[in-house]
Amino acid sequence: MIARISLIALVVAVVFGACMPATVFAQTPLKVGLILPMTGPMASTGKQVVAAVKLYVAEHGDVVAGRKIEVLLRDDANAAETTKRYAQELVTNDHAEILAGFGLTPLAFAAAPIATAAKVPMIIMSAGTFVIPQKSPYIIRTSFTLPQNTAPIAVWAAKHGIKKVFTLVADYAPGIDSETTFKAVFTANGGQIVGEARVPVQNPDYAPFVQKAKDSKPDALFIFVPSGEGAAVMKQYAERGLAKAGIKLIGPGDVTDDDILDSMGDAAIGTITSMDYSAAHASPENKAYVAAFEKANPGMRPNFMSVGGWDGMALIYEVLKKTNGSAEGDKFLAAAKGLSWMSPRGKITIDPNTRDIIQDEYIREVKRVNGHLWNVEFDHLPAVPPDGKF
Ligand code: PHB
């Protein structure tokens, strides 16, 4: 008798136990650890990404595939050791199932080993150095790469009468990526590099470098500085009279970042850049995006960092629909590979081989339209791969 009761108890326990994971699973919130610089000189990136993440959740609801999405925001103030510590704490103590954000390349590098050890998907919403996805098999990128954003302007410049260029980049991984790509593509298309400079990332003083560029008498000054730094460079470009000397300003579009472009003044007019996103992009998806973003964040205009955050959330939602709410590392990655959707910037795809983003690039010119400065797109390159070789 006792044996029979315990057998029944055992059967009940086994059946119930087998059902448990599904029941508990459907009710467990899914925590997304979002690590970004929210204070310090790079805070504009964090603010843009967070605004877009919040907007995505507000528009799509906070439940997907039966799981409530909880975003746990941490401010790393652009300190790699802090990023790493938060990534570890989020995974171990808070049981975050996804890590996201990563405002700058060194911050992404710092967290990558934690994603690998914990088998947690790590979504790069901002950083742009080419090698980042190679740092962990759990990394997926929804931002951009510097080769992707640089190669198109190198080809454009060479084909539009720009023969001599001085390159000026921020002295860290994405700057080196951008410089290397520009030099290779521009010279392969017949251009000549007449001088180059790398500017420190911490407390940069652009004045001596911009003067050196002017003295080398190039047709154009090529610039990469991280998002938020454009205004300081533009000030030197204006004060030192490069435009008057006939020296054009070109680069990937970080220098004419939509977040601060309108405050740069007339000096920015005529700057030609290549980039994946402009707030002026004339698609119905982008018009709706910009209107909703500006309504939710008065006084702010979305920039290219914001769409990395928006699409990072789109990726999470689309993957969870495919996996029935599981964010288990290997399942998540398998479901993410090859996904494609319409972003405010155009169609984007997660390359199944590299887990990196394939996206359209645009050539744009800064113009004053209805009293405001915009990156006005005038040429379009579809589906540019992460290595920029289109
Ligand atoms: C980066 O650190 O990877 C980075 C930051 C800001 C940018 C581009 C790249 O505008």
Side-chain angles (χ1 to χ4, degrees):
M1 185 63 183
I2 290 177
R4 238 177 105 189
I5 289 172
S6 21
L7 184 65
I8 292 166
L10 182 71
V11 171
V12 168
V14 168
V15 172
F16 186 66
C19 294
M20 271 294 280
T23 323
V24 171
F25 184 62
Q27 292 164 353
T28 314
L30 193 159
K31 293 178 185 165
V32 179
L34 183 63
I35 316 174
L36 286 161
M38 301 304 295
T39 51
M42 300 299 171
S44 73
T45 292
K47 286 177 186 160
Q48 285 275 338
V49 173
V50 168
V53 165
K54 284 189 176 158
L55 184 63
Y56 193 92
V57 176
E59 287 194 0
H60 296 83
D62 64 355
V63 178
V64 55
R67 304 211 54 195
K68 189 169 191 309
I69 305 295
E70 277 181 22
V71 177
L72 307 181
L73 177 62
R74 300 288 182 268
D75 172 15
D76 63 17
N78 186 25
E81 275 311 305
T82 313
T83 319
K84 189 172 183 182
R85 178 168 53 80
Y86 276 140
Q88 186 70 66
E89 284 175 13
L90 281 160
V91 168
T92 311
N93 304 346
D94 301 300
H95 306 294
E97 292 177 57
I98 297 173
L99 293 172
F102 310 104
L104 289 97
T105 293
L107 312 176
F109 284 168
I114 297 187
T116 305
K119 298 187 191 295
V120 164
M122 172 169 166
I123 300 167
I124 308 293
M125 294 173 159
S126 311
T129 299
F130 178 66
V131 296
I132 290 174
Q134 296 169 26
K135 300 291 175 183
S136 168
Y138 294 96
I139 287 180
I140 308 167
R141 174 152 46 195
T142 58
S143 47
F144 53 85
T145 81
L146 264 307
Q148 190 174 52
N149 282 347
T150 302
I153 190 64
V155 174
W156 185 90
K159 290 191 175 160
H160 290 84
I162 295 176
K163 295 191 169 56
K164 296 178 183 173
V165 168
F166 187 101
T167 64
L168 193 164
V169 300
D171 191 6
Y172 77 127
I176 313 302
D177 255 12
S178 188
E179 182 198 271
T180 310
T181 304
F182 185 80
K183 281 161 75 173
V185 179
F186 185 60
T187 54
N189 282 274
Q192 188 194 343
I193 304 296
V194 294
E196 54 186 272
R198 295 179 181 177
V199 190
V201 189
Q202 306 292 344
N203 307 314
D205 175 9
Y206 299 107
F209 300 103
V210 172
Q211 186 60 46
K212 195 173 161 217
K214 186 184 178 191
D215 295 344
S216 75
K217 299 192 176 5
D219 299 319
L221 169 58
F222 170 91
I223 287 194
F224 166 79
V225 287
S227 179
E229 280 293 311
V233 185
M234 199 60 82
K235 189 163 176 282
Q236 291 306 323
Y237 176 78
E239 281 179 5
R240 284 164 199 278
L242 276 78
K244 283 193 201 88
I247 303 168
K248 276 198 95 54
L249 192 58
I250 59 171
D254 310 70
V255 69
T256 57
D257 163 13
D258 269 302
D259 195 36
I260 50 176
L261 175 61
D262 207 20
S263 68
M264 290 183 195
D266 286 352
I269 293 175
T271 303
I272 306 219
T273 54
S274 50
M275 203 59 175
D276 57 316
Y277 179 70
S278 164
H281 182 58
S283 70
E285 292 84 5
N286 187 50
K287 284 183 179 159
Y289 177 68
V290 174
F293 188 101
E294 292 187 345
K295 188 164 178 236
N297 305 279
M300 231 172 130
R301 183 196 285 182
N303 73 0
F304 62 94
M305 290 299 188
S306 82
V307 288
W310 173 269
D311 286 314
M313 292 312 288
L315 172 75
I316 292 174
Y317 276 48
E318 291 313 308
V319 166
L320 292 177
K321 285 181 204 162
K322 280 177 76 179
T323 62
N324 290 321
S326 170
E328 190 270 308
D330 294 310
K331 270 193 207 160
F332 191 100
L333 266 290
K337 289 178 184 173
L339 266 188
S340 193
W341 65 94
M342 190 52 86
S343 158
R345 52 189 138 165
K347 186 183 166 204
I348 64 174
T349 302
I350 303 300
D351 178 4
N353 298 319
T354 61
R355 295 164 276 110
D356 213 334
I357 187 165
I358 300 169
Q359 59 189 334
D360 294 7
E361 286 286 327
Y362 306 86
I363 312 288
R364 316 94 51 83
E365 178 171 1
V366 176
K367 291 189 171 169
R368 194 173 282 287
V369 182
N370 298 330
H372 296 282
L373 296 178
W374 296 95
N375 290 297
V376 179
E377 295 170 350
F378 64 89
D379 206 353
H380 173 210
L381 295 98
V384 177
D387 63 7
K389 296 189 174 131
F390 60 90

